[in-house]
Amino acid sequence: MSKVAVYFSAAILLAVAGGSHKIYAAKDDSTLAIVMTNDPSSNEIKVYDAQTKALLQTLSTKGEGGVGGNARGVRQFQGELVAAVNYGSNTVALFKRDGNGLKFEQLVSTTSAPVSLDFGNDHLYVAGATTIDSFVLREHRVGWRDGTAFLEVVEGGRPAAGSTAQVGVLDRHHALVTLKTDPTPGTVDVVALDDDGAITGSLTNVVAAPAGTLTPFGFSVYPDGTAAITLAHSNQDGLFRDGAFVEVINAGQAAPCWMTRAGKYIFTANTGSKTISRLTATGNHIFVDSLVAANVTAGGSPSDIDAAHGVLGVMDRGAGQAHVSLFTYNQFGELTSTGGAINIGVPNANGVAIVPPSDHGKN
């Protein structure tokens, strides 16, 4: 037998004997659920397999947590990159996919205490306590900060501590930041971006929440640049388009706060009702498609939500413990529980991101 044939036969035997497991494990083919412990002195993220619910990793964010009253404190990009806010140390931690896990990649510094994150337009956007920053993103690595703007409430001036709720990319030339300012209705800042996606340093619009509403909070954006926004403290949902609210509806549940989109459907986590609702929207109207698409049964009040690749995760907190409940969803937006919630083991966890397989592409 030739040497080539011997080596080939040996390779086949190795694969049959056990090499196939190693080949499978090397793929980035698991959907992951990422949560942030939010510890004010030693922040961490925990990485779970979304199918088995097994804890795969606990990784330091190299900073301090402590953020509250926010959305998207943890955010993923294309199954390859995960970002988490270090509120107490003015940094954002970046992690890269490493097989079916993550590895710490870098820290970037922000101009104010970071609260919320989003990716888009070849940038990472970070909304902080008083500012929004843009960072260049190239080949799943975050580079230099190329833009900053001060946030502003509709009454004038900078937002008070704890006002910033969420940042999100609206379209190629705009980002949104929601600001909670009870007892006034609240504010949506429309932030200008240049042709490269960098923040220009200015706000194109400072928009008051509609009369009779309170607290623009979580939101999701459709590809046409229309945003659905929760109005959390008045139990309403609004539709935002072309720099203005075009419709407001009653949510039918108490305290809709967080949103995530899966195709044409938007899911809201309702803190007061401990439920998940399903919405749909057009360019001019927003509808409640299912008042109670699922119940959050872990015992606490929902505190964040995310969806990707057929998996939805909702975090809750209560009685000194934080949990993540996982659901699957189909093409009709129907949710099916995957069983018991994951006990995170800390009381004040904040932020959940569902990370699809890295070859899955954009959500």
Side-chain angles (χ1 to χ4, degrees), residues 53 296-299 314 316 322-326 337-344:
K53 301 182 184 177
V296 180
T297 58
V314 59
D316 75 87
H323 311 88
V324 168
S325 297
L326 298 175
S337 174
T338 63
I342 299 169
N343 189 331
I344 301 169

Side-chain angles (χ1 to χ4, degrees), residues 73-87:
V74 182
R75 191 70 169 148
Q76 71 89 23
F77 180 64
Q78 294 186 352
E80 287 282 356
L81 192 63
V82 173
V85 298
N86 285 319
Y87 180 83

Side-chain angles (χ1 to χ4, degrees), residues 112 127-132 148-161 163-166 175-181 184-192 199 201-209 216:
S112 63
T130 57
T131 57
I132 175 174
T148 297
F150 282 101
L151 301 175
E152 183 179 338
V153 295
V154 74
E155 297 83 12
R158 307 286 179 253
S163 298
T164 303
Q166 182 182 321
L176 294 185
V177 179
T178 48
L179 302 170
K180 320 181 303 292
T181 53
T184 60
T187 302
V188 178
D189 281 351
V190 184
V191 184
I199 292 171
S202 64
L203 305 181
T204 61
N205 211 353
V206 179
V207 183

Side-chain angles (χ1 to χ4, degrees), residues 23-255:
I23 292 170
Y24 176 84
K27 294 180 180 179
D28 303 342
D29 58 0
S30 289
T31 298
L32 308 175
I34 313 297
V35 298
M36 183 175 70
T37 65
N38 202 35
D39 189 281
S41 59
S42 183
N43 197 13
E44 295 176 326
I45 61 167
K46 292 193 173 188
V47 182
Y48 296 91
D49 184 301
Q51 181 177 9
T52 67
K53 301 182 184 177
L55 176 63
L56 303 177
Q57 293 173 297
T58 300
L59 301 170
S60 172
T61 65
K62 315 292 184 181
E64 301 169 351
V67 68
N70 64 314
R72 289 186 181 170
V74 182
R75 191 70 169 148
Q76 71 89 23
F77 180 64
Q78 294 186 352
E80 287 282 356
L81 192 63
V82 173
V85 298
N86 285 319
Y87 180 83
S89 47
N90 280 38
T91 61
V92 173
L94 281 304
F95 301 83
K96 290 196 76 171
R97 188 83 181 225
D98 183 20
N100 282 327
L102 301 176
K103 63 179 179 180
F104 176 79
E105 180 74 8
Q106 62 185 123
L107 284 177
V108 295
S109 296
T110 57
T111 57
S112 63
V115 173
S116 180
L117 308 158
D118 201 17
F119 291 97
N121 300 330
D122 297 321
H123 279 77
L124 166 67
Y125 300 99
V126 184
T130 57
T131 57
I132 175 174
D133 298 329
S134 60
F135 296 85
V136 172
L137 178 64
R138 295 289 185 272
E139 296 182 351
H140 300 112
R141 182 169 177 84
V142 174
W144 63 94
R145 176 169 55 86
D146 63 356
T148 297
F150 282 101
L151 301 175
E152 183 179 338
V153 295
V154 74
E155 297 83 12
R158 307 286 179 253
S163 298
T164 303
Q166 182 182 321
V167 65
V169 176
L170 185 64
D171 55 35
R172 186 66 191 172
H173 290 102
H174 303 92
L176 294 185
V177 179
T178 48
L179 302 170
K180 320 181 303 292
T181 53
D182 289 6
T184 60
T187 302
V188 178
D189 281 351
V190 184
V191 184
L193 310 176
D194 67 19
D195 289 340
D196 294 322
I199 292 171
T200 65
S202 64
L203 305 181
T204 61
N205 211 353
V206 179
V207 183
T213 74
L214 283 173
T215 317
F217 197 139
F219 62 91
S220 289
V221 177
Y222 282 98
D224 65 357
T226 300
I229 303 178
T230 63
L231 298 159
H233 292 173
S234 53
N235 304 329
Q236 296 167 308
D237 298 306
L239 194 68
F240 190 89
R241 182 171 58 83
D242 296 333
F245 282 92
V246 296
E247 186 173 60
V248 173
I249 63 170
N250 289 323
Q253 297 286 278

Side-chain angles (χ1 to χ4, degrees), residues 276-321:
I276 300 169
S277 295
R278 185 175 66 239
L279 311 178
T280 60
T282 67
N284 295 301
H285 300 288
I286 184 169
F287 308 90
V288 177
D289 183 57
S290 176
L291 197 62
V292 180
N295 289 288
V296 180
T297 58
S301 298
S303 56
D304 202 4
I305 192 170
D306 192 34
H309 201 228
V311 176
L312 180 143
V314 59
M315 178 177 284
D316 75 87
R317 294 194 297 260
Q321 288 294 328

